[in-house]
Amino acid sequence: MTIHEPLKTPVPPVARPVGAAHIIKTDAEAIAVAHKLAADFAKGASDRDRNRIWPQEQLDAFSQSGLWSINVPKEYGGPGLSYVTLNRVIAIISEADPSLGQVPQNHLGVVAAINTVSDKAQKALLFGEVLRGTRFGNAFSEFGSKRAVDFETKFTDEGDHVRVTGHKFYSSGALLAHLVPIVALDDQGRAWYAIADRGAEGLSVIDDWSSFGQRTTLSGTVILDNVKVPKTHLVPGYKGYEAPSADGAIFQVIQVAVDLGIARAAIADTKDFVLHRSRAWVDSGLDHASQDPYTIQAVGDLNLRANAAAALLDIASVAIDLAVANPTAETVAQAQIATAEAKVLSTEIAILATNKLFELAGTRSTLAEHNLDRHWRNARTHTLHDPVRWKYAILGNYYLNGANPPFHAWS
């Protein structure tokens, strides 16, 4: 067990997997594997959060399980499973440990982007890496830019390779990744994924993630000092937004699954506490807190809203599957809208459930020994990824004025 305090010195890279990762065959197998892993991941989740223990063993088991290659197409040797299954898997893992649920989000999004924009040779090369158990981290967002879409990281062309220079933050998974996709601009201002080796000269990952929630997502600062990336690993990400594609919705919808998992975990702990630890209120005349009609109503409401969020997640995932199979302006807009609806509801239930936990369970649920505040901290942190107040505007403009959502990686 290694407890990690945020450091300012670069973290060394980790070794690649020794053996090939398992390849999932069916949707049912994917769900079964996710449940099996989740049962193990849940055991130490509170302790990992409390002491900021990196989930290295759990992450190795997760990426070797085959679940990280779930959206690699069958023609390249992958499972080629539906996004319905993929998002159910992420929700299951996130209920056990939402940091572990978030770590593969950008990996899976990059796999989707490669499928959209890369040529066959690049797909074969990079999907081959994924099938062997190689983990993609990310170096997308930048801390000091005016807007999230504004990138200052650039690369220069040097023949068979490029050189990347820049500074990144919010780099979930990068600490223990094997490859780090970097969003960098060419001399025309177009955004590419320059997929660098985690141990490349000039690439440093700093363990300085200090958020109060999602504490073990293996995030931090990535410093890029003239990093060499072969052109075989230079993916034209911008092409995913030149023509209709589901790439943006895919990045978004996985966030929904993480938030749903957080909500489910909070609801489960609420029920457990009310049933086994909470006292009935003095004016109720009842023997057990679980008999309180107001508590019963509130727990019913929480489960109803969580189930509605799960249903919208499935609906969004189906819409994404249709848009991947037939990417048109209409199918992509429908996928974006369904994803926005799911994002609103999952955000709201995650925050509501993690707050209601304490109201229903009572004062003793706030004791540090239970660490139940981790659910609220995780929900409040993760739901800040992109503001749902803008999702409402997108939905209203679509339904009222027939205006399609903006087309970018956050929509």
Side-chain angles (χ1 to χ4, degrees), residues 125-396:
L125 175 67
L126 296 176
F127 288 158
E129 289 271 18
V130 173
L131 292 170
R132 285 190 292 274
T134 298
R135 294 191 293 262
F136 294 149
N138 95 87
F140 298 169
S141 296
E142 299 180 6
F143 195 75
S145 57
K146 192 172 184 179
R147 299 174 303 160
V149 74
D150 296 329
F151 298 108
E152 296 178 0
T153 300
K154 296 179 172 62
F155 67 81
T156 56
D157 192 326
E158 296 192 357
D160 64 351
H161 64 274
V162 299
R163 294 278 182 176
V164 187
T165 298
H167 201 100
K168 300 287 189 175
F169 195 59
Y170 304 117
S171 303
S172 303
L175 283 167
L176 297 183
H178 305 119
L179 293 172
V180 181
I182 306 157
V183 172
L185 305 182
D186 63 14
D187 57 7
Q188 299 179 52
R190 300 176 303 183
W192 299 65
Y193 298 113
I195 303 179
D197 189 276
R198 172 65 175 79
E201 184 178 355
L203 193 158
S204 301
V205 185
I206 311 298
D207 175 27
D208 58 356
W209 177 243
S210 61
S211 172
F212 60 61
Q214 295 297 90
R215 301 187 69 218
T216 58
T217 55
L218 305 169
S219 186
T221 294
V222 177
I223 300 170
L224 308 156
D225 182 11
N226 207 32
V227 176
K228 181 179 178 179
V229 178
K231 283 189 176 175
T232 54
H233 287 58
L234 187 63
V235 177
Y238 68 91
K239 291 184 178 179
Y241 301 95
E242 286 188 336
S245 83
D247 286 7
I250 289 168
F251 275 107
Q252 281 284 301
V253 79
I254 300 172
Q255 306 281 2
V256 175
V258 174
D259 292 335
L260 175 61
I262 294 171
R264 284 174 169 169
I267 293 169
D269 276 346
T270 300
K271 291 188 285 189
D272 180 72
F273 215 97
V274 168
L275 285 168
H276 301 112
R277 293 184 177 90
S278 300
R279 295 182 295 180
W281 180 238
V282 62
D283 293 330
S284 69
L286 300 170
D287 294 327
H288 302 289
S290 60
Q291 298 171 319
D292 185 325
Y294 300 112
T295 298
I296 290 171
Q297 184 273 338
V299 171
D301 179 69
L302 291 173
N303 280 274
L304 169 66
R305 293 175 187 276
N307 289 338
L312 282 182
L313 177 59
D314 276 358
I315 290 170
S317 301
V318 168
I320 287 171
D321 283 327
L322 293 173
V324 170
N326 179 31
T328 67
E330 182 179 359
T331 61
V332 168
Q334 289 173 348
Q336 290 177 288
I337 288 298
T339 299
E341 292 177 336
K343 186 71 166 62
V344 167
L345 214 55
S346 66
T347 292
E348 292 181 351
I349 184 56
I351 294 171
L352 177 65
T354 56
N355 188 43
K356 277 283 185 180
L357 189 163
F358 303 103
E359 177 186 334
L360 300 178
T363 305
R364 70 179 65 182
S365 66
T366 68
L367 297 179
E369 65 192 78
H370 303 304
N371 197 29
L372 293 176
D373 61 295
R374 73 184 187 278
H375 298 307
W376 183 87
R377 290 186 286 104
N378 290 332
R380 185 63 283 178
T381 299
H382 189 261
T383 55
L384 294 175
H385 183 271
D386 53 285
V388 295
R389 62 186 180 274
W390 280 88
K391 301 299 183 190
Y392 278 109
I394 287 169
L395 294 172

